Each structure stands twice: as C-alpha cells, then as structure tokens.
Amino acid sequence: MNRYSVPVRLIGRTVRVMLHASELVVYDGREEVARHERLWEAAVKAHGQRDGTRALTEVLLLSRHLPHEHLVTGLAAALQTGALTADAVALEARKAADADTGLEELPQPPSTTSQTAIAPLPAAVRANLPPDKRPLPSVAPYDQLLRLRRPDHPTP
C-alpha cells in the first residue's frame, strides 16, 4: 500500500487513483482531489531528457527483481526525498520489502552526532562503481596562509 497526500477529509478513506506516465491523479468519486508528479517527469526536470529517461528505464528494469508494491513504494519515497535515481528507488523498495517481511535493521555503529544516518551502498553496487580518478585533496594552499603573519601578531 502507498500513501500520498490528500485533503484531510479523505484520510483513511478509499479513493480512486489514475496512474499516468508523468503523474498520478487522485479522485474522490468524480472529483479530482490531488495530483502528484511521478518519477519520469521529475527526473527529466532534474537530469534532462536523456538522463531522466535513462533513470526511468533503470527503474522499470528493477521490476524484474522487486515486487510491484515495493517498487511503487520505492518510487514514492524517492520522489518525496528528491532522490531521482534508480539506486534510490531500489534502496527504498528494499526497505519496504524488509519492513513487510519483518527483517530487522542491521545494527548501526553508535552515532556521535544527531544527524540522520546514511544508508551504505549494497556490495553489488559498490563493486560496479567506476574508479575514482580525482586527485587526492591537498592542503598546500592553506599551508601558505600559515606562512603569512599579521604585523600586529609577532612570531613567537
């Protein structure tokens, strides 16, 4: 089951939902009560026509391995958070599947901050990541700043 925002008067009631390529429309009887953007339209806005379409294709291919209801839940969660990638949809869909099967969350190391924990990438995804060819960061420009002394602060 998926949850989308509707007017308060409809919370808990059964409504009719029409799924279209770029949006879903919620009806109470014959009255349209809500309209929500779907992944492809949002992905095209965020990534452009080519990459947005590629993201949708990757999401559709997830249906080979994930049950429909979990995939739809993953789509809704990805849209809600603005994470418009197939990996985000897959992660959210797997969370929904784990919740349905009652699997417990993996133990997380104790957090030293109050920030929300970031879910690690699955090993299969990490194995297929391209190598990071960026140069290692350098602090040399900052070291040069240390050599500069203000006249009002004598060197010890």
Side-chain angles (χ1 to χ4, degrees), residues 11-147:
I11 293 176
R13 289 185 44 195
T14 300
V15 293
R16 183 171 48 104
V17 177
M18 296 294 293
L19 297 174
H20 301 284
S22 61
E23 64 188 1
L24 63 91
V25 184
V26 181
Y27 292 93
D28 180 30
R30 292 178 179 246
E31 176 189 4
E32 179 182 321
V33 294
R35 185 177 290 261
H36 298 282
E37 186 175 45
R38 295 185 68 191
L39 178 73
W40 182 75
E41 191 70 26
V44 167
K45 283 181 185 176
H47 304 295
Q49 183 75 30
R50 186 191 74 193
D51 292 337
T53 302
R54 179 175 290 135
L56 176 64
T57 303
E58 290 172 0
V59 167
L60 292 173
L61 290 173
L62 290 173
S63 66
R64 292 178 175 175
H65 309 287
L66 297 168
H68 173 76
E69 61 274 6
H70 298 148
L71 188 57
V72 172
T73 301
L75 278 165
L79 276 171
Q80 185 176 9
T81 61
L84 306 173
T85 65
D87 287 338
V89 172
L91 179 66
E92 294 297 333
R94 288 187 184 106
K95 284 182 186 178
D98 289 349
D100 279 355
T101 58
L103 293 179
E104 294 182 18
E105 295 276 331
L106 293 175
Q108 297 293 324
S111 176
T112 58
T113 66
S114 62
Q115 295 178 345
T116 304
I118 298 173
L121 287 173
V125 172
R126 285 193 314 266
N128 292 321
L129 289 176
D132 186 0
K133 296 181 180 179
R134 296 177 294 179
L136 292 173
S138 171
V139 294
Y142 297 104
D143 288 343
Q144 292 175 5
L145 293 174
L146 294 173
R147 292 187 195 112

